[in-house]
């Protein structure tokens, strides 16, 4: 949680996920087909972040708290994405 959020906030906003999603797009072998399509990379990032917020931020405040992270399975999903070469097998977010 503390690695994602800005140091001056006690919650995560949508833009906080962008560097991590961009890194995923650059390094994950299952997303290599998007490497030359910047417009699709941006749409992919927006889609993933929207799905994260829809699932984790159930009150739809636009802010994810540490409590919401603890009560979600997002960390498990992050680990699965890291370990699985076929990203299509990880469908949670």
């Amino acid at each position: 949680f503390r690695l994602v959020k800005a140091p001056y906030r006690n919650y995560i906003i949508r833009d906080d996920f962008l560097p991590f999603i961009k890194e995923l797009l650059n390094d994950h072998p299952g997303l290599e087909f998007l490497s030359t399509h910047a417009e699709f990379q941006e749409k992919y990032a927006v889609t993933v972040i929207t799905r994260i917020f829809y699932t984790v931020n159930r009150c739809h405040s636009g802010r994810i708290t540490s409590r919401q992270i603890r009560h979600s399975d997002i960390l498990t999903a992050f680990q699965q994405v890291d370990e699985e070469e076929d990203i299509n097998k990880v469908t949670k977010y």
Side-chain angles (χ1 to χ4, degrees):
F1 176 77
R2 284 181 254 135
L3 294 174
V4 177
K5 74 174 188 69
Y8 52 87
R9 286 195 306 260
N10 60 352
Y11 53 86
I12 296 171
I13 61 170
R14 298 171 78 76
D15 288 347
D16 292 336
F17 281 111
L18 277 175
F20 299 96
I21 302 298
K22 285 182 180 181
E23 197 63 32
L24 177 70
L25 284 162
N26 289 333
D27 293 339
H28 198 285
L31 295 172
E32 190 175 334
F33 69 97
L34 290 174
S35 64
T36 58
H37 303 287
E39 66 277 4
F40 292 116
Q41 286 183 358
E42 184 176 334
K43 290 177 185 194
Y44 179 86
V46 168
T47 300
V48 170
I49 293 168
T50 299
R51 290 177 69 176
I52 289 170
F53 269 79
Y54 181 80
T55 305
V56 177
N57 182 234
R58 294 184 180 170
C59 64
H60 305 293
S61 67
R63 299 174 174 186
I64 295 177
T65 64
S66 61
R67 180 181 177 156
Q68 291 170 331
I69 292 285
R70 285 191 310 273
H71 287 75
S72 74
D73 63 348
I74 192 168
L75 299 178
T76 302
F78 285 171
Q79 183 176 359
Q80 289 172 341
V81 165
D82 189 48
E83 295 172 354
E84 180 61 57
E85 283 196 32
D86 184 0
I87 199 159
N88 293 314
K89 291 183 179 179
V90 184
T91 59
K92 185 64 179 179
Y93 301 97

